[in-house]
């Protein structure tokens, strides 16, 4: 059972100081209680979600953050995650172990050996450098701040990793978190702290309640940073500190396109993490308004595009004298305003409150999404997203598949930026879209391509509508495949959440990428079968699937690279295909020992040929080569004049491309020769120019 302490709280809507539990202050941490806390002044009720009072509500403008919460719901299993069970082991054991590991790493003279001794490798634990950077700034910024017996508020506490540091230091800790799932995880792992949910733009605490307010890597996730900072300062006591750290920033006045360019291929963002790089001005605007009441320190972890010259900064001269500072640096507030507004980098703040702020009481408007209703849907990410479908803003519904608008919303839902000229769009892991339903739409049509990858797998595409799977299909990589599936229960006029997800045993980014060229609800139930025209980013498996490679032995011309040749033979053997091979003369013994391989010809020095007729009209042939240029040379050597047949080139990694016609190949070869001649001519031209210049200088 969790006992709530609300003595220092206030209503985030009307700012009244009369917030209390409705029927007792003990709550099960596995249950959701609607309106269990109420403001006696305005009558607004608040939910208690899994032991955490959520003093606030969700608005439609929070949709990106809510999508992030739902997208990561599967990462936190709530089943049997109760506080009582976690108390059976020493408190925050894992957190303490990692904090000690980070401190030991910092103090070690041989850091690689230290990690090896503790079984940790930065190459394996890719997050370690980021955690260590946070640790460095955390210890530096809190070293001079007394913590024993102090009241600390951790804003954006997440699952409580930093909060546990203050608990260890003897502080009385209050944690504030926007995500109900993370707040419950934090309550489980750091039960000695108080936990609250809500919106940082209207903190539900009275003025001057805390000695220290900290936000680690949190501000850049907030939709109104200036207001959040003002709120953090409002709840500070005089002589208290506000510390923020590990926030990225960009040039003041720059557009959101900067963020899009940075995150366009970031796997975490594409899987739903709502990262941001806010303008520098958003971090300092509230501080500027109240600077006479504050002592302000600005610390940067790195700075890009610093312009030291004042005149050049004033004239905004691009790249004139600009340099980067890849190391930590302290700035006075005046220096920061002058130098950093036109830069980008990493930012931390340490602010001492000299006098209480004179600010108007914030009021959070009534939300449109009840926190308890949303939390109930967070048993899985699919159900969470389905719950949000009814609240998605109109501008995000029925987006064109190939459109460029609302790029950040698309990235957060798994869609990569569209490349101009391509009739399809790439997605990573899973792709979501929101569609308005029509009365006649009883089917869903999706045209999808899983590109070939070097390692073999059996990929599966799962299609969900409103959190429920409507289709599950194993697909052949390298083929556009149309999936038409019936959809039931769609209400005309409602908004449906559609998700296309790839399941694969391969973990690399290339294997989790797929392409979509059609995605729509329709009344047409016809499903087209894939043919040769649907090949794209393909390998040998796709050629077999569309019957371009049959069960009879296939002619294969093998380049000198023995490893690539054997890899191709093995892949064909796994597909049940025998090989009639043409090989380099000096490699006959090697390929002759391979089962299922019949050597029908040899070549030497790319000139002398001893081969039976392998090109046959209507038959497919393969050339295994390191590149298309080499494949053209082999094709010219092997193919009799006037014989046309299908020929595919197998490149490293098992990727296949169609061999261009003889005419195209000849044109390509001529272009390659011209480029080589041009490369030889340019140095001669430069030397001649230098001689002419020196001759001119030597004339009297």
């Amino acid at each position: 059972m969790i006992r709530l302490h609300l003595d220092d709280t206030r209503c985030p809507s009307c700012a009244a100081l009369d917030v209390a539990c409705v029927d007792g202050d003990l709550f099960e941490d596995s249950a959701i209680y609607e309106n269990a806390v109420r403001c006696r002044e305005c009558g607004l009720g608040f939910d208690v979600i899994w032991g955490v009072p959520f003093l606030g509500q969700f608005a439609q403008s929070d949709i990106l953050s809510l999508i992030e919460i739902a997208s990561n719901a599967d990462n936190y299993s709530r089943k049997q995650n109760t506080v009582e069970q976690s108390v059976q082991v020493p408190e925050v054991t894992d957190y303490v172990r990692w904090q000690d590991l980070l401190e030991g790493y910092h103090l070690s003279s041989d850091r690689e050996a230290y990690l090896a001794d503790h079984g940790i490798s930065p190459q394996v634990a890719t997050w370690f450098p980021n955690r260590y950077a946070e640790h460095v700034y955390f210890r530096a910024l809190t070293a001079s701040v007394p913590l024993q017996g102090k009241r600390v508020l951790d804003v954006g506490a997440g699952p409580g990793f930093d909060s546990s540091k203050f608990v260890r230091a003897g502080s009385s800790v209050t944690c504030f978190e926007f995500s109900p799932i993370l707040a419950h995880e934090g309550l489980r792992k750091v039960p000695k702290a108080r936990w609250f949910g809500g919106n940082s733009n209207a903190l539900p605490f009275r003025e001057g309640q805390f000695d220290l307010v900290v936000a680690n890597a949190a501000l850049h996730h907030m939709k109104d940073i200036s207001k959040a900072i003002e709120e953090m300062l409002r709840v500070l006591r005089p002589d208290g500190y506000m510390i923020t750290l590990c926030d990225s920033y960009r040039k003041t006045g720059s557009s959101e396109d900067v963020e899009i360019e940075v995150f366009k291929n970031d796997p975490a963002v594409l899987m739903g993490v709502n990262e941001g790089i806010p303008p520098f001005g958003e971090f300092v605007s509230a501080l500027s308004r109240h600077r006479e009441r504050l002592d302000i320190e600005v610390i940067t972890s790195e700075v890009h595009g610093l312009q030291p010259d004042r005149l050049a900064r004033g004239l905004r001269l691009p790249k004139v004298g600009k340099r980067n500072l890849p190391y930590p640096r302290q700035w006075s507030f005046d220096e920061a305003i002058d130098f950093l507004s036109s830069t980008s980098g990493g930012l931390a703040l340490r602010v001492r409150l000299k006098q209480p702020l004179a600010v108007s009481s914030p009021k959070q408007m009534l939300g449109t999404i009840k926190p308890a209703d949303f939390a109930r849907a967070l048993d899985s990410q699919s159900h969470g997203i389905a719950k949000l479908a009814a609240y998605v803003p109109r501008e995000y519904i029925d987006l064109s598949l190939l459109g460029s608008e609302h790029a950040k919303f698309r990235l957060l839902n798994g869609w990569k930026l569209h490349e101009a000229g391509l009739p399809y769009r790439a997605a990573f892991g899973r792709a979501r879209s929101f569609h308005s339903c029509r009365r006649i739409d009883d089917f869903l049509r999706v045209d999808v391509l899983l590109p070939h990858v070097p390692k073999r797998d059996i990929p599966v595409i799962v299609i969900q509508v409103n959190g429920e799977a409507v289709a599950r299909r194993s697909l052949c990589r390298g083929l556009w495949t149309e999936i038409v599936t019936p959809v039931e229960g769609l209400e005309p006029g409602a908004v449906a959440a559609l998700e296309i997800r790839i399941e694969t045993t391969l973990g690399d980014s290339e294997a989790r990428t797929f392409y979509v060229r059609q995605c729509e609800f329709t009344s047409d139930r016809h499903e087209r079968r894939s043919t040769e025209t649907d090949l794209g980013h393909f390998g040998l498996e796709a050629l077999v699937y569309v019957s371009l490679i049959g069960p009879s032995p296939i002619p294969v011309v093998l380049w000198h690279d023995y490893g690539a040749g054997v890899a191709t033979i093995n892949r064909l053997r796994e597909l049940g295909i025998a090989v009639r091979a043409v090989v380099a003369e000096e490699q006959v013994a090697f390929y002759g020992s391979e089962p299922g391989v019949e050597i029908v010809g040899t070549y030497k020095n790319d000139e002398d040929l001893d081969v039976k007729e392998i090109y046959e009209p209507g038959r497919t042939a393969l050339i295994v080569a390191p590149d298309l240029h080499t494949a053209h040379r082999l094709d010219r050597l092997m193919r009799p004049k006037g014989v046309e047949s299908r020929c595919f080139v197998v490149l490293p990694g098992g990727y296949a491309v169609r061999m261009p016609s003889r005419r195209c190949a000849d044109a390509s070869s001529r272009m390659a020769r011209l480029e080589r001649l041009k490369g030889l001519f340019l140095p001669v031209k430069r030397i001649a120019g230098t001689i002419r210049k020196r001759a001119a200088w030597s004339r009297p």
Side-chain angles (χ1 to χ4, degrees), residues 24-25 47 93 179 289 368 373 568 582 672:
D25 59 358
D47 305 326
T93 302
S179 166
R289 289 195 299 270
T368 57
D373 293 340
T568 301
V582 177

Side-chain angles (χ1 to χ4, degrees), residues 58-76 178-182 221 268-275 369 374 377-378 380-397 399 406-415 430-434 495-499:
F58 295 132
Q60 193 178 46
S61 58
D62 296 320
I63 192 66
L64 295 184
S65 298
L66 296 176
I67 286 176
E68 176 180 25
I69 295 172
S71 296
N72 291 278
D74 293 343
N75 297 331
Y76 298 92
F178 183 76
S179 166
I181 293 181
L182 289 181
H221 291 280
V269 172
L270 290 165
M271 291 304 292
V273 177
N274 185 25
E275 289 288 1
I369 307 175
F374 181 52
L378 294 177
S380 70
Q381 68 95 12
S382 298
H383 290 159
I385 293 295
K387 183 66 178 179
L388 295 176
Y391 305 101
V392 172
R394 184 67 191 88
E395 61 266 26
Y396 296 149
I397 300 173
L399 292 178
H406 306 302
K408 189 169 185 179
F409 178 80
R410 293 177 189 264
L411 286 179
L412 202 61
N413 284 288
W415 297 103
R430 52 104 186 96
R432 288 191 296 258
S433 54
F434 299 87
V495 176
L498 167 65
E499 178 173 301

